[in-house]
Amino acid sequence: MAVGRSAASKIDWTKISSSLGLKGQTAASLLAFKKRNDDARRKLNILSNAPQTVDFASYRSTLKNQAIIDEIEGHVKRFRPVTYDVGRQIRAISAFETEATKNAEETRDKVAVELQHLEATLKNIEEARPWEELTVDEVCAAAPEIDARTENMVSRGRWMPAGYKEKFGDLSFM
């Protein structure tokens, strides 16, 4: 509400009508609106500065049913605005924010490590020799499981991996 009042007080009414080139009925309507705005702001200021107590004596002298006035006066005297303890919610929000920040930092660190690994892998790929230049001994040294599997297949009398012919076709000429 204070922002609205602040913005309304900064309006330059004469500049509006002159800059927009308002004439006749439109300019008169704008001036009438300005007058209503000023009156409303003045009344609001007066009412907000006025005491906000209820004069029950004047109601007692006017109304016949005194019990209603006594009941309303009792409610007014017993009325206490409800206060909420927002400290617990603020602590929960702070704890959540702390946890979220910690998780974000951990994730950032994990991503940084993963990026380093990926950059190293990319560097290895870029610097690697082409497949055509590799020897069987170099491949077996780099991946010993290939050599072990090949020895296992040969010891069982199998010379082709399963599914090789289906995937690449039969290369025998006989």
Side-chain angles (χ1 to χ4, degrees), residues 129 133-143:
R129 290 186 306 179
E133 296 177 12
L134 292 178
T135 64
V136 172
D137 292 334
E138 290 172 336
V139 172
C140 289

Side-chain angles (χ1 to χ4, degrees), residues 1 4 7 18 28 31 65 68 79 84 87 90 92-93 109 122 125 128 139-140 145 147 150 160 166 168:
M1 186 76 178
S18 64
L31 288 176
N65 192 347
I68 295 291
F79 175 74
Y84 293 100
I90 291 174
I93 291 170
D109 295 341
L122 182 61
I125 291 170
V139 172
C140 289
E145 65 272 4
D147 197 29
T150 304
M160 291 293 233
E166 289 81 15
F168 298 107

Side-chain angles (χ1 to χ4, degrees), residues 120-134 138:
T121 303
L122 182 61
K123 184 178 178 185
N124 285 341
I125 291 170
E126 289 172 347
E127 294 175 354
R129 290 186 306 179
W131 282 103
E132 296 84 29
E133 296 177 12
L134 292 178
E138 290 172 336

